[in-house]
């Protein structure tokens, strides 16, 4: 247990009301999935000071030293699971909105599908993991960089990642949670009530890829395309150099050849 990770005030109706705060765990997503099997209610939240097996998208490792935010929350969705996929996009949007509105980081935006960037550097990543059995659950995992690693970003993160301290903000994980959970709760409720259409304006305003040329890496091909906008169903509408339009649902999209 680590009580320093607990927000002093939590302005939510249900999200984070059941809260476990751990010093160390392999992955908050994995620990919360186990808690879900044991009966954790909708909105249960698990935060850790560090992770020794942090999971990223596409099977990647998420480096998780102390000082950053590693948190997961549990949803027991009321909508059919198939309709919940855009929630990953909505989660990235919630984080970007909280950074902009709560901390004045006007350069924060959403990088499709669910990263949060400040300018052109990644500050947060989202990993949703869902299960249908024994009952439908979605674990929403968020890693938010609060502190730059000693010695700076290395390897593939060099020049591609950022943390809030690089923007003059010294934020503790508990404060970050206090800021993020109310926004996430509002957005989950809006999404469950009205779907992604409810977020059209915010998606357009905060999508950092709109109008940019990106490199797309898919299972069978790679190409440079121009991003038009996030589509109504949460895919990414792009135009090839021959003028063909299509919507991407999977694969990796790198701005200017960057990995994100
Ligand atoms: C990405 O690859 O961008 C997604 C990274 C998600 C990392 C967070 S940290 C908290 C939660 N627990 C995990 O093991 N992963 C997510």
């Amino acid at each position: 247990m680590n009580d320093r990770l607990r927000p002093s005030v939590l302005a939510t109706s249900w999200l984070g009301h059941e809260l476990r705060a751990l010093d160390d765990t392999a992955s908050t997503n994995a620990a919360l999935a186990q808690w879900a099997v044991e009966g954790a209610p909708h909105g249960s939240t698990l935060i850790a000071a560090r992770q020794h097996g942090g999971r990223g998208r596409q099977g990647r490792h998420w480096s998780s030293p102390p000082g950053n935010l590693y948190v997961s929350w549990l949803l027991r969705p009321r909508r059919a699971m198939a309709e919940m996929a855009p929630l990953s996009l909505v989660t990235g949007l919630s984080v970007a909105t909280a950074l902009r509105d709560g901390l004045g980081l006007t350069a924060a935006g959403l990088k499709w599908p669910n990263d949060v960037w400040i300018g052109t550097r990644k500050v947060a990543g989202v990993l949703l993991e869902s299960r249908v059995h024994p009952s439908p659950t979605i674990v929403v995992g968020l890693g938010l960089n609060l502190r730059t690693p000693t010695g700076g970003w290395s390897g593939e993160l060099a020049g591609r990642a950022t943390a809030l301290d690089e923007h003059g903000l010294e934020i503790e994980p508990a404060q970050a949670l206090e800021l993020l959970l109310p926004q996430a709760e509002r957005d989950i409720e809006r999404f469950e009530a009205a779907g992604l259409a409810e977020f059209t304006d915010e998606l357009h305003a905060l999508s950092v890829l709109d109008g940019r040329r990106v490199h797309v890496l898919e299972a069978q091909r790679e190409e440079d395309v121009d991003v038009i906008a996030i589509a109504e169903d949460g895919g990414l509408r792009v135009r090839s150099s021959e003028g063909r339009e299509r919507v991407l649902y999977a694969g990796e999209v790198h701005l200017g050849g960057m990995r994100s």
Side-chain angles (χ1 to χ4, degrees):
M1 289 295 154
N2 184 328
D3 284 336
R4 277 185 303 117
L5 297 172
R6 290 179 182 276
S8 45
V9 182
L10 197 48
T12 59
S13 299
W14 50 270
L15 186 58
H17 283 208
E18 288 284 336
L19 181 71
R20 284 188 181 170
L22 307 178
D23 248 336
D24 186 23
T25 189
S27 152
T28 58
N29 271 27
L32 181 57
Q34 178 56 37
W35 186 14
V37 170
E38 293 158 12
H42 181 66
S44 296
T45 297
L46 193 144
I47 179 172
R50 69 179 90 85
Q51 303 181 116
H52 54 269
R55 309 206 283 236
R57 289 178 56 235
Q58 319 256 354
R60 286 199 284 262
H61 171 68
W62 186 260
S63 168
S64 308
N68 299 312
L69 178 67
Y70 310 110
V71 64
S72 305
W73 53 82
L74 178 73
L75 303 178
R76 295 188 179 275
R78 274 172 281 158
R79 283 173 167 248
M81 220 43 156
E83 293 173 34
M84 295 301 289
L87 188 69
S88 62
L89 201 59
V90 171
T91 307
L93 198 58
S94 301
V95 176
T97 304
L99 297 182
R100 292 168 70 98
D101 295 353
L103 297 176
L105 284 166
T106 51
L110 171 70
K111 188 261 181 183
W112 184 91
N114 49 16
D115 287 346
V116 181
W117 282 10
I118 297 178
T120 55
R121 294 186 183 202
K122 177 165 172 167
V123 70
V126 172
L127 177 67
L128 259 67
E129 296 181 296
S130 49
R131 290 190 188 176
V132 179
H133 298 292
S135 61
T137 54
I138 300 176
V139 168
V140 180
L142 167 70
L144 172 65
N145 300 331
L146 302 175
R147 289 190 174 83
T148 308
T150 319
W153 303 102
S154 57
E156 72 170 58
L157 294 180
R160 296 183 176 121
T162 188
L164 296 190
D165 63 357
E166 290 171 17
H167 302 271
L169 294 163
E170 298 296 330
I171 306 278
E172 295 299 322
Q175 290 172 280
L177 200 58
E178 188 174 324
L179 175 77
L180 291 168
L181 288 186
Q183 184 68 45
E185 181 183 271
R186 274 194 294 279
D187 290 341
I188 293 163
E189 288 178 352
R190 288 170 65 204
F191 177 73
E192 288 216 307
L196 197 62
E198 170 75 13
F199 295 88
T200 308
D201 292 346
E202 287 136 280
L203 288 172
H204 284 294
L206 296 194
S207 170
V208 299
L209 295 182
D210 289 16
R212 310 288 292 262
R213 174 147 300 190
V214 297
H215 190 70
V216 180
L217 280 171
E218 291 173 292
Q220 303 300 329
R221 62 171 163 173
E222 295 188 24
E223 67 173 329
D224 287 335
V225 296
D226 293 317
V227 174
I228 301 169
I230 294 173
E232 281 168 18
D233 60 1
L236 189 68
R237 186 174 300 283
V238 299
R239 187 183 297 110
S240 70
S241 44
E242 298 86 46
R244 245 181 323 105
E245 280 187 23
R246 65 193 171 102
V247 179
L248 305 176
Y249 294 100
E252 303 235 340
V253 173
H254 301 143
L255 188 62
M258 287 200 299
R259 298 200 62 187
S260 62

